[in-house]
Amino acid sequence: MSTTLPVELDDIQGLVRFGYKHHTEASFLLLRVSDRDAARRWLATVPVCTAETIEPPPETALQIALTGDGMRALGVADAIVDAFATDFVTGMAGDANRARRLGDVGANDPGQWQWGAGARMPHVVVLLYALPGKLAAFQRAIEAQCAACFERITCLTTSDLDGIEPFGFMDGISQPLVDWQRKRRAKDAERDEYTNLSCLGEYLLGYPNEYGGYTDRPLLDADVVGSRLPHAEEAPERADLGRNGSYLVMRQMRQDVHGFWQFVDRCAGGNAAARDRIANAMVGRDRAGVPLVGPANETIEGGGVPGDLNAFTYRSDPHGVRCPLGAHIRRSNPRNADLPPGRPGIVSWAMRTLGFDAEALDQDLVASTRFHRLLRRGREYGVGVSLAQALAEPTASTETGLHFICLGANIARQFEFVQNAWAMGVHFDGLPNESDPLLGTHLPSADGRPTDGFSIPRDDGADERITGLPQFVTVVGGAYFFLPGIRALRFLATT
Ligand code: HEM
């Protein structure tokens, strides 16, 4: 296998490479197949925007992803569908254990979702992106085409809040740098330094991942498939249905902006500076995106240059005095290497790896970051609420929140791990029974102990401990999709 094989940008959906930032308008059509043949015909020919660079950017871009149920509804053989990853096939809301692990209990229970469970499980999501002013006509045209093939569950609208998520913090600052040139040596060898450069195979099936292996995917008989699909790199006699495709995780997360700021304000006794300090601590950045651990002046492979908002790790802040261990961004990307930090040398190495070092024991709960990166592609929805409005009495407000979207080649190792072990994990990094302050349900744990606290370490004594956190974010829909390569999409529609 050569690592210099060109990447087939014309066979990859654009969303893997671009966030479509110029396309400030977007909507997501959640559909169920109503006429199989018509749906297959449409999917076999609909123009899908690829990952090739187009200058100037196209006015509109359309992307397509399918659920496992959707593939079956299109007539794809069970043997093919079942060769995709089990988590994808079972689905986000497909079993109670998964729901529990993801924190989809209580108010997040899939039984109450607006979409993503039961008869409201989408078969297809059509993601529409458009330059300002261009969405409405584009959407009308696509919906007219879809009407003959699909029943519409809903259309998820989005809002351009200027890069600020509804709680008021700048979002979309940190992303892994995908190794499109395939220069990163993919192998399962311990890395001493945090790197932001990430193997292509972490996001696209059919390429080596951070373990140096290929993620399992449906490999078909090339003699039968002919030239309709690319060949598998590691098994050229097999046709690769996964190659150039990615799993797409979508979760609609309603944000209680009033609840968030009013709670923080109460904790701060109405003091504006204290309010900012506590809210920033929960996120791990201030509202302008400046990381609390700063100054951001480290040089990180693939991670920007000193001074930018991503040039940092938590190495200089092991106890969370500047950025709490439980802050949202520290949980969702601990920015560590493969071994817990420690002094160099064989004795230190043995102590850390064998777990004799008390500090390393806490760190053991924080697995190596490079296996758990997410390419985030979410969009906000609803009406933005200013801080002043959030602090005032709630008025009859419309729903606001985040259509969280992330891409990855392995849902279990990437999204589910981050969500379960890091965000929902109540002992993350040795913390005393608390989950992600933004995302947690804060329901008592199985043994009845409260998980509604948030610790802010101090350098001069005991942690400041905030308790009684209500749930600020509620999951109201979600599903696992597969965003196929273009040839794979056409194959699925015609097989
Ligand atoms: C309504 C829900 C959410 C809100 C309000 C939210 C908010 C934020 C904010 C303000 C940032 C900092 C901006 C940045 O670093 O790019 C961030 C970063 C991040 N979030 Fe979230 N987030 C939400 C849900 C999630 C979920 C469900 C996950 C994954 C399970 C997640 C994973 C991440 C990751 C990986 C980062 C980047 C961390 C880093 O690399 O330093 N977020 N989020």
Side-chain angles (χ1 to χ4, degrees), residues 32-46:
R32 283 177 73 85
V33 173
S34 56
D35 180 327
R36 173 183 295 185
D37 291 339
R40 285 162 62 93
R41 278 197 300 277
W42 188 72
L43 291 171
T45 53
V46 60

Side-chain angles (χ1 to χ4, degrees), residues 233-312:
E233 245 180 33
E234 80 281 34
E237 73 289 359
R238 311 289 287 162
D240 192 343
L241 182 58
R243 188 174 169 94
N244 296 329
S246 185
Y247 291 108
L248 183 152
V249 173
M250 195 161 176
R251 266 160 102 73
Q252 182 175 349
M253 313 188 80
R254 187 175 66 213
Q255 294 179 236
D256 180 1
V257 180
H258 288 282
F260 177 78
W261 283 108
Q262 296 197 357
F263 175 79
V264 173
D265 192 51
R266 276 198 302 281
C267 295
N271 177 294
R275 187 174 64 219
D276 277 350
R277 185 181 59 80
I278 295 169
N280 295 350
M282 289 182 175
V283 173
R285 294 187 187 267
D286 70 14
R287 277 184 280 150
V290 177
L292 300 190
V293 75
N297 58 6
E298 293 183 47
T299 301
I300 291 166
E301 184 191 19
V305 290
D308 93 8
L309 295 177
N310 272 312
F312 69 95

Side-chain angles (χ1 to χ4, degrees), residues 165-167 169-175 194 196 251 253-255 283 285 310 312 314 328-330 332-333 335 372-374 376 401-402 404 406 415 418-419 423 438-439 473:
E165 58 71 38
F167 290 144
F169 289 80
M170 189 190 281
D171 202 358
I173 305 167
S174 173
Q175 294 281 15
Y194 168 71
N196 196 44
R251 266 160 102 73
M253 313 188 80
R254 187 175 66 213
Q255 294 179 236
V283 173
R285 294 187 187 267
N310 272 312
F312 69 95
Y314 300 104
H328 173 66
I329 67 159
R330 193 160 178 168
S332 46
N333 179 5
R335 297 177 182 241
H372 310 288
R373 299 303 305 274
L374 312 173
R376 289 177 301 140
L402 178 68
F404 174 84
C406 73
F415 166 70
V418 173
Q419 174 70 23
L438 300 186
L439 304 182
V473 169

Side-chain angles (χ1 to χ4, degrees), residues 355-369:
F356 296 139
D357 180 334
E359 209 165 274
L361 221 52
D362 284 352
Q363 297 275 345
D364 278 353
L365 297 165
V366 187
S368 311
T369 297

Side-chain angles (χ1 to χ4, degrees), residues 190-209:
E190 279 157 359
R191 311 251 173 193
D192 294 339
E193 295 289 328
Y194 168 71
T195 170
N196 196 44
L197 188 60
S198 194
C199 285
L200 190 56
E202 288 295 304
Y203 311 97
L204 280 183
L205 294 170
Y207 298 88
N209 58 27

Side-chain angles (χ1 to χ4, degrees), residues 10 17 28 30 36 52 65 119 125 192 216 235 250 265 280 287 302 370 402 407 417 434 443 449 474:
D10 60 343
R17 187 153 174 245
F28 309 133
L30 299 178
R36 173 183 295 185
E52 294 163 295
V125 58
D192 294 339
D216 286 345
M250 195 161 176
D265 192 51
N280 295 350
R287 277 184 280 150
R370 70 185 171 106
L402 178 68
L407 302 175
F417 183 89
E434 55 186 62
L443 293 170
R449 282 194 285 170
T474 307

